[in-house]
Coordinates of all heavy atoms in Angstrom, one line a residue:
M17 N 0.9 -1.2 0.0 CA 0.0 0.0 0.1 C 0.9 1.3 0.0 O 1.8 1.4 0.8 CB -0.9 0.0 1.3 CG -1.7 1.2 1.4 SD -2.8 1.3 2.7 CE -4.0 0.0 2.3
D18 N 0.5 2.2 -0.8 CA 1.3 3.4 -0.9 C 0.8 4.3 0.2 O -0.3 4.5 0.4 CB 1.1 4.1 -2.3 CG 1.9 3.3 -3.5 OD1 2.1 2.2 -3.3 OD2 2.0 4.1 -4.5
M19 N 1.7 5.1 0.7 CA 1.4 6.0 1.7 C 1.8 7.5 1.3 O 2.9 7.6 0.8 CB 2.1 5.8 3.1 CG 1.9 6.7 4.2 SD 0.2 6.6 4.9 CE 0.3 5.1 5.8
V20 N 0.8 8.4 1.3 CA 1.1 9.7 1.0 C 0.9 10.7 2.1 O -0.2 10.6 2.7 CB 0.2 10.2 -0.2 CG1 0.4 11.6 -0.6 CG2 0.3 9.2 -1.4
E21 N 1.9 11.4 2.4 CA 1.8 12.5 3.5 C 1.4 13.7 2.8 O 2.1 14.3 1.9 CB 3.2 12.7 4.2 CG 3.6 11.4 4.9 CD 2.9 11.1 6.1 OE1 2.3 12.1 6.8 OE2 2.9 9.9 6.5
A22 N 0.2 14.3 3.1 CA -0.3 15.5 2.4 C -0.5 16.6 3.4 O -1.1 16.5 4.5 CB -1.7 15.1 1.8
P23 N -0.1 17.8 2.9 CA -0.3 19.0 3.8 C -1.9 19.3 3.7 O -2.6 18.6 3.1 CB 0.5 20.1 3.1 CG 0.6 19.6 1.7 CD 0.6 18.1 1.7
G24 N -2.3 20.4 4.2 CA -3.6 20.8 4.3 C -4.1 21.1 2.9 O -3.3 21.3 2.0
C25 N -5.3 21.3 2.7 CA -5.9 21.6 1.4 C -5.8 23.1 1.1 O -5.6 23.9 2.0 CB -7.4 21.4 1.4 SG -7.8 19.6 1.1
P26 N -5.7 23.5 -0.1 CA -5.9 22.6 -1.3 C -4.6 21.9 -1.8 O -4.7 21.0 -2.6 CB -6.3 23.7 -2.4 CG -5.6 24.9 -2.0 CD -5.6 25.0 -0.5
E27 N -3.4 22.3 -1.3 CA -2.2 21.7 -1.7 C -2.3 20.1 -1.5 O -1.8 19.4 -2.4 CB -0.9 22.2 -1.0 CG -0.7 23.7 -1.3 CD -1.6 24.6 -0.3 OE1 -2.0 24.1 0.7 OE2 -1.7 25.7 -0.6
G28 N -2.8 19.7 -0.4 CA -2.8 18.3 -0.1 C -3.6 17.5 -1.1 O -3.1 16.4 -1.5
S29 N -4.8 18.0 -1.4 CA -5.6 17.2 -2.4 C -5.0 17.2 -3.7 O -5.0 16.2 -4.4 CB -7.1 17.6 -2.4 OG -7.1 19.0 -2.7
L30 N -4.4 18.3 -4.1 CA -3.7 18.4 -5.4 C -2.6 17.5 -5.5 O -2.3 16.8 -6.6 CB -3.2 19.9 -5.7 CG -4.4 20.8 -5.9 CD1 -3.9 22.3 -6.0 CD2 -5.2 20.4 -7.1
K31 N -1.7 17.4 -4.4 CA -0.6 16.4 -4.3 C -1.0 15.0 -4.4 O -0.4 14.2 -5.2 CB 0.1 16.5 -3.0 CG 1.3 15.7 -2.8 CD 1.9 15.9 -1.5 CE 3.2 15.0 -1.2 NZ 3.8 15.1 0.0
V32 N -2.2 14.6 -3.9 CA -2.7 13.2 -3.9 C -3.2 13.0 -5.4 O -2.9 11.9 -5.9 CB -3.9 13.0 -2.9 CG1 -4.6 11.7 -3.1 CG2 -3.3 13.1 -1.6
V33 N -3.9 13.9 -6.0 CA -4.3 13.7 -7.3 C -3.1 13.5 -8.4 O -3.1 12.7 -9.1 CB -5.3 14.8 -7.8 CG1 -5.4 14.8 -9.3 CG2 -6.6 14.8 -7.0
A34 N -2.1 14.3 -8.2 CA -0.9 14.2 -9.0 C -0.3 12.9 -8.8 O 0.2 12.2 -9.7 CB 0.1 15.3 -8.7
Y35 N -0.2 12.5 -7.6 CA 0.4 11.1 -7.2 C -0.4 10.0 -7.8 O 0.2 9.0 -8.5 CB 0.4 10.9 -5.7 CG 1.1 9.7 -5.3 CD1 2.5 9.7 -4.9 CD2 0.4 8.5 -5.0 CE1 3.2 8.6 -4.6 CE2 1.1 7.3 -4.7 CZ 2.5 7.4 -4.5 OH 3.1 6.3 -4.0
I36 N -1.7 10.0 -7.8 CA -2.5 9.0 -8.4 C -2.3 8.9 -9.8 O -2.2 7.9 -10.5 CB -4.0 9.2 -8.1 CG1 -4.3 8.9 -6.5 CG2 -5.0 8.5 -8.9 CD1 -5.6 9.3 -6.0
Q37 N -2.4 10.1 -10.5 CA -2.2 10.2 -12.0 C -0.9 9.6 -12.4 O -0.8 8.9 -13.4 CB -2.4 11.7 -12.5 CG -3.8 12.1 -12.5 CD -4.1 13.4 -12.8 OE1 -3.2 14.4 -12.6 NE2 -5.2 13.6 -13.5
E38 N 0.2 9.8 -11.6 CA 1.5 9.5 -12.0 C 1.8 8.0 -11.7 O 2.3 7.3 -12.5 CB 2.6 10.3 -11.2 CG 4.0 9.9 -11.5 CD 5.0 10.8 -10.7 OE1 4.7 11.9 -10.6 OE2 5.9 10.2 -10.2
R39 N 1.3 7.5 -10.6 CA 1.7 6.1 -10.1 C 0.6 5.1 -10.3 O 0.9 3.9 -10.3 CB 2.3 6.2 -8.7 CG 3.5 7.0 -8.6 CD 4.5 6.5 -7.7 NE 5.6 7.4 -7.6 CZ 6.3 7.6 -6.6 NH1 6.1 7.1 -5.5 NH2 7.4 8.4 -6.7
Q40 N -0.7 5.5 -10.2 CA -1.8 4.7 -10.2 C -1.8 3.5 -9.2 O -1.8 2.3 -9.8 CB -2.1 4.2 -11.7 CG -2.4 5.4 -12.6 CD -2.5 5.0 -14.0 OE1 -2.4 3.8 -14.4 NE2 -2.9 5.9 -14.8
P41 N -1.5 3.7 -7.9 CA -1.4 2.6 -7.1 C -2.7 1.8 -7.0 O -3.8 2.3 -7.1 CB -1.1 3.3 -5.8 CG -1.6 4.7 -5.9 CD -1.6 5.1 -7.3
A42 N -2.5 0.5 -6.6 CA -3.7 -0.3 -6.4 C -4.4 0.0 -5.1 O -5.6 0.0 -5.0 CB -3.3 -1.8 -6.4
E43 N -3.5 0.3 -4.0 CA -4.1 0.7 -2.7 C -3.3 2.0 -2.3 O -2.1 2.2 -2.6 CB -3.9 -0.3 -1.7 CG -4.7 -1.6 -2.0 CD -4.6 -2.7 -0.9 OE1 -3.6 -2.7 -0.2 OE2 -5.5 -3.4 -0.8
L44 N -3.9 2.9 -1.6 CA -3.4 4.2 -1.3 C -3.9 4.5 0.1 O -5.1 4.3 0.5 CB -3.9 5.2 -2.2 CG -3.5 6.6 -2.1 CD1 -2.1 6.9 -2.3 CD2 -4.3 7.5 -3.0
A45 N -3.0 5.1 1.0 CA -3.4 5.7 2.3 C -2.9 7.1 2.3 O -1.7 7.4 1.9 CB -2.8 4.9 3.4
V46 N -3.8 8.0 2.7 CA -3.3 9.5 2.6 C -3.4 9.9 4.2 O -4.5 9.7 4.8 CB -4.2 10.2 1.8 CG1 -3.8 11.8 1.9 CG2 -4.1 9.8 0.4
R47 N -2.4 10.4 4.5 CA -2.3 11.1 6.0 C -2.2 12.6 5.9 O -1.3 13.0 5.2 CB -1.1 10.5 6.8 CG -1.2 8.9 7.0 CD 0.0 8.3 7.5 NE 0.7 9.2 8.5 CZ 1.3 8.8 9.5 NH1 1.3 7.5 9.9 NH2 2.0 9.6 10.3
T48 N -3.0 13.3 6.6 CA -3.0 14.8 6.6 C -3.4 15.3 7.9 O -4.3 14.6 8.5 CB -3.8 15.3 5.4 OG1 -3.8 16.7 5.5 CG2 -5.3 14.8 5.5
P49 N -2.9 16.5 8.3 CA -3.4 17.1 9.7 C -4.7 17.8 9.4 O -5.3 18.2 10.3 CB -2.2 18.0 10.0 CG -1.6 18.4 8.6 CD -1.8 17.1 7.8
D50 N -5.1 18.0 8.1 CA -6.4 18.8 7.8 C -7.5 17.9 7.6 O -7.7 17.2 6.6 CB -6.0 19.6 6.6 CG -7.1 20.6 6.2 OD1 -8.2 20.6 6.8 OD2 -6.9 21.3 5.2
E51 N -8.5 18.0 8.5 CA -9.7 17.2 8.3 C -10.5 17.5 7.1 O -11.2 16.7 6.5 CB -10.6 17.4 9.6 CG -11.8 16.6 9.6 CD -12.7 16.7 10.8 OE1 -12.3 17.6 11.7 OE2 -13.6 15.9 11.0
D52 N -10.5 18.9 6.7 CA -11.1 19.4 5.5 C -10.5 18.7 4.2 O -11.3 18.4 3.3 CB -11.1 20.9 5.3 CG -12.0 21.5 6.3 OD1 -13.0 20.9 6.9 OD2 -11.8 22.7 6.8
C53 N -9.3 18.4 4.3 CA -8.6 17.7 3.2 C -9.2 16.3 3.0 O -9.5 15.8 1.8 CB -7.1 17.7 3.3 SG -6.2 17.2 1.8
I54 N -9.5 15.6 4.0 CA -10.2 14.3 4.0 C -11.5 14.4 3.4 O -11.9 13.6 2.4 CB -10.2 13.7 5.4 CG1 -8.8 13.4 5.9 CG2 -11.0 12.4 5.4 CD1 -7.9 12.4 5.1
K55 N -12.2 15.5 3.7 CA -13.5 15.6 3.1 C -13.5 15.9 1.7 O -14.3 15.2 0.9 CB -14.2 16.8 3.7 CG -14.6 16.6 5.2 CD -15.2 17.9 5.8 CE -15.4 17.8 7.3 NZ -15.9 19.1 8.0
V56 N -12.5 16.6 1.2 CA -12.3 16.8 -0.3 C -11.9 15.4 -0.9 O -12.4 15.1 -2.0 CB -11.2 17.8 -0.6 CG1 -10.8 17.9 -2.0 CG2 -11.7 19.2 -0.1
L57 N -11.0 14.7 -0.3 CA -10.5 13.4 -0.9 C -11.6 12.4 -1.0 O -11.7 11.7 -2.0 CB -9.4 12.8 -0.1 CG -8.1 13.7 -0.2 CD1 -7.1 13.1 0.8 CD2 -7.5 13.6 -1.6
R58 N -12.6 12.4 -0.1 CA -13.7 11.5 -0.2 C -14.6 11.9 -1.3 O -15.3 10.8 -1.9 CB -14.5 11.7 1.2 CG -13.8 11.1 2.4 CD -14.7 11.3 3.6 NE -15.6 10.1 3.6 CZ -16.1 9.6 4.7 NH1 -15.9 10.2 5.8 NH2 -17.0 8.6 4.7
L59 N -14.5 13.0 -1.8 CA -15.3 13.4 -3.1 C -14.4 13.1 -4.3 O -15.1 12.7 -5.4 CB -15.8 14.8 -3.0 CG -16.7 15.3 -1.9 CD1 -16.9 16.7 -1.8 CD2 -18.1 14.6 -2.1
V60 N -13.2 13.4 -4.2 CA -12.3 13.3 -5.4 C -11.9 11.8 -5.7 O -11.9 11.6 -6.9 CB -11.1 14.2 -5.2 CG1 -10.0 14.1 -6.3 CG2 -11.5 15.8 -5.1
L61 N -11.5 11.1 -4.7 CA -11.0 9.8 -5.1 C -11.9 9.0 -6.0 O -11.5 8.3 -6.8 CB -10.5 9.0 -3.8 CG -9.4 9.6 -3.1 CD1 -9.2 9.0 -1.7 CD2 -8.1 9.4 -4.0
P62 N -13.2 8.9 -5.7 CA -14.1 8.1 -6.6 C -14.1 8.5 -8.0 O -14.2 7.8 -8.9 CB -15.5 8.3 -6.0 CG -15.2 8.6 -4.5 CD -14.0 9.4 -4.5
L63 N -13.7 9.9 -8.3 CA -13.7 10.3 -9.6 C -12.5 9.7 -10.4 O -12.4 9.8 -11.6 CB -13.5 11.9 -9.6 CG -14.7 12.7 -9.0 CD1 -14.4 14.2 -9.0 CD2 -16.0 12.4 -9.8
F64 N -11.5 9.3 -9.6 CA -10.3 8.6 -10.2 C -10.5 7.1 -10.0 O -9.4 6.5 -10.1 CB -9.0 9.2 -9.5 CG -8.8 10.6 -10.0 CD1 -9.2 11.7 -9.2 CD2 -8.1 10.9 -11.1 CE1 -9.1 12.9 -9.6 CE2 -7.8 12.2 -11.5 CZ -8.3 13.3 -10.8
N65 N -11.7 6.6 -10.0 CA -11.9 5.1 -9.8 C -11.3 4.6 -8.6 O -10.8 3.4 -8.6 CB -11.4 4.5 -11.1 CG -12.1 3.2 -11.3 OD1 -13.3 3.0 -11.1 ND2 -11.4 2.2 -12.0
Y66 N -11.4 5.3 -7.5 CA -10.9 4.6 -6.1 C -12.1 4.5 -5.2 O -12.9 5.4 -5.3 CB -9.8 5.5 -5.6 CG -8.5 5.2 -6.2 CD1 -8.1 5.8 -7.3 CD2 -7.6 4.4 -5.6 CE1 -7.0 5.7 -7.9 CE2 -6.3 4.1 -6.2 CZ -6.0 4.8 -7.3 OH -4.7 4.5 -8.0
V67 N -12.1 3.5 -4.4 CA -13.2 3.2 -3.5 C -12.6 3.5 -2.1 O -11.5 3.0 -1.8 CB -13.6 1.8 -3.5 CG1 -14.7 1.4 -2.5 CG2 -14.2 1.4 -4.9
I68 N -13.3 4.2 -1.3 CA -12.9 4.5 0.1 C -13.1 3.3 0.9 O -14.2 2.8 0.9 CB -13.6 5.8 0.7 CG1 -13.6 7.0 -0.3 CG2 -13.2 6.0 2.1 CD1 -12.2 7.5 -0.5
V69 N -12.0 2.8 1.6 CA -12.0 1.6 2.3 C -12.3 2.0 3.9 O -12.9 1.4 4.5 CB -10.8 0.7 2.2 CG1 -10.8 -0.4 3.1 CG2 -10.7 0.3 0.7
D70 N -11.5 3.0 4.3 CA -11.6 3.4 5.8 C -11.2 4.8 5.9 O -10.3 5.4 5.0 CB -10.5 2.5 6.4 CG -10.8 2.5 8.0 OD1 -11.9 3.1 8.5 OD2 -10.0 1.8 8.7
V71 N -11.7 5.5 6.8 CA -11.3 6.9 7.2 C -11.3 6.9 8.8 O -12.2 6.4 9.5 CB -12.4 7.9 6.8 CG1 -12.1 9.2 7.3 CG2 -12.6 7.8 5.3
Y72 N -10.1 7.3 9.3 CA -10.0 7.3 10.8 C -8.9 8.3 11.2 O -8.2 9.0 10.4 CB -9.6 6.0 11.3 CG -8.3 5.4 10.7 CD1 -7.0 5.6 11.3 CD2 -8.2 4.6 9.4 CE1 -5.9 5.1 10.8 CE2 -7.1 4.1 9.0 CZ -6.0 4.4 9.6 OH -4.7 3.9 9.1
K73 N -8.9 8.6 12.5 CA -7.9 9.5 13.0 C -6.7 8.8 13.7 O -7.0 7.7 14.4 CB -8.6 10.5 14.1 CG -7.8 11.6 14.4 CD -8.5 12.7 15.1 CE -7.5 13.8 15.4 NZ -8.1 14.9 16.2
E74 N -5.5 9.2 13.5 CA -4.3 8.6 14.0 C -3.5 9.6 14.7 O -2.7 10.3 14.1 CB -3.5 7.8 12.9 CG -2.4 7.0 13.3 CD -1.8 6.3 12.1 OE1 -0.9 6.9 11.4 OE2 -2.2 5.2 11.8
G75 N -3.7 9.8 16.0 CA -3.1 10.8 16.7 C -3.6 12.3 16.2 O -4.8 12.4 16.2
D76 N -2.7 13.1 15.7 CA -3.1 14.4 15.2 C -3.4 14.3 13.7 O -3.9 15.4 13.2 CB -2.1 15.3 15.5 CG -1.9 15.7 17.0 OD1 -2.8 15.5 17.7 OD2 -0.8 16.2 17.3
L77 N -3.2 13.2 13.1 CA -3.4 13.1 11.6 C -4.8 12.3 11.3 O -5.3 11.5 12.1 CB -2.2 12.2 11.1 CG -0.9 13.0 11.2 CD1 0.1 12.0 10.6 CD2 -0.8 14.2 10.5
H78 N -5.2 12.7 10.2 CA -6.5 12.2 9.7 C -6.0 11.2 8.5 O -5.1 11.5 7.7 CB -7.5 13.2 9.2 CG -7.9 14.0 10.2 ND1 -9.0 13.7 11.0 CD2 -7.5 15.3 10.6 CE1 -9.2 14.7 11.9 NE2 -8.3 15.7 11.6
V79 N -6.6 10.0 8.5 CA -6.1 9.1 7.4 C -7.4 8.6 6.6 O -8.4 8.3 7.1 CB -5.4 7.8 8.0 CG1 -5.0 6.9 7.0 CG2 -4.3 8.2 9.0
V80 N -7.2 8.5 5.3 CA -8.2 7.9 4.3 C -7.4 6.8 3.6 O -6.4 7.1 3.1 CB -8.9 8.9 3.5 CG1 -7.9 9.5 2.6 CG2 -10.0 8.3 2.7
K81 N -8.0 5.5 3.6 CA -7.6 4.5 2.8 C -8.4 4.2 1.7 O -9.6 4.2 1.8 CB -7.4 3.2 3.6 CG -6.3 3.3 4.8 CD -6.1 2.0 5.5 CE -4.9 2.1 6.4 NZ -4.7 0.8 7.1
A82 N -7.9 4.0 0.5 CA -8.6 3.7 -0.7 C -8.0 2.6 -1.5 O -6.7 2.3 -1.4 CB -8.8 4.9 -1.4
R83 N -8.7 1.9 -2.4 CA -8.2 1.0 -3.4 C -8.9 1.3 -4.6 O -9.9 1.8 -4.8 CB -8.4 -0.4 -2.8 CG -9.8 -0.8 -2.7 CD -10.0 -2.3 -2.4 NE -11.3 -2.6 -1.9 CZ -12.4 -2.7 -2.7 NH1 -12.3 -2.5 -3.9 NH2 -13.5 -3.1 -2.2
R84 N -8.2 0.9 -5.7 CA -8.6 1.0 -7.1 C -9.9 0.1 -7.3 O -9.8 -1.0 -6.9 CB -7.6 0.8 -8.1 CG -7.9 1.3 -9.4 CD -6.9 1.3 -10.5 NE -5.5 1.4 -10.0 CZ -4.6 0.5 -10.3 NH1 -4.8 -0.6 -11.1 NH2 -3.4 0.6 -9.8
A85 N -11.0 0.7 -7.9 CA -12.0 -0.1 -8.0 C -11.9 -1.1 -9.2 O -11.2 -0.8 -10.1 CB -13.3 0.8 -8.4
K86 N -12.5 -2.2 -9.1 CA -12.4 -3.3 -10.1 C -13.4 -2.8 -11.2 O -14.5 -2.4 -11.1 CB -12.7 -4.6 -9.6 CG -11.8 -5.1 -8.6 CD -12.2 -6.4 -8.1 CE -11.2 -6.9 -7.0 NZ -11.6 -8.1 -6.4
T87 N -13.0 -2.9 -12.5 CA -13.7 -2.5 -13.7 C -14.2 -3.7 -14.5 O -13.7 -4.9 -14.3 CB -13.0 -1.7 -14.6 OG1 -11.8 -2.2 -15.1 CG2 -12.6 -0.3 -13.9

């Protein structure tokens, strides 16, 4: 599983989108200190054919895990 450390939005979500377009990982976990960035990723990731698997808080960081949807 690929792990991406993202700053707050909008830079964080843009970084994740660029990472997905470049590497197209099968599974992805994004860690960010910005809860609003997680909200944006919950909307954006499905547009890139990713299914949200889990969303949780890990200390001061928020984490979203996703995997590529089967087509």
Side-chain angles (χ1 to χ4, degrees):
M17 175 177 293
D18 289 23
M19 179 69 72
V20 178
E21 299 285 337
C25 277
E27 298 86 16
S29 56
L30 294 174
K31 179 180 178 180
V32 172
V33 167
Y35 186 89
I36 287 172
Q37 289 179 323
E38 181 181 315
R39 301 217 177 145
Q40 300 179 352
E43 294 183 338
L44 174 73
V46 179
R47 294 170 35 141
T48 180
D50 186 358
E51 184 177 8
D52 290 334
C53 191
I54 294 296
K55 292 175 185 175
V56 170
L57 290 173
R58 291 180 84 158
L59 298 172
V60 170
L61 288 172
L63 299 175
F64 289 90
N65 203 31
Y66 282 83
V67 175
I68 305 296
V69 176
D70 198 7
V71 177
Y72 58 93
K73 191 167 181 183
E74 189 176 86
D76 291 338
L77 298 175
H78 299 273
V79 182
V80 61
K81 289 186 177 182
R83 63 175 163 73
R84 195 171 334 128
K86 296 179 181 177
T87 55

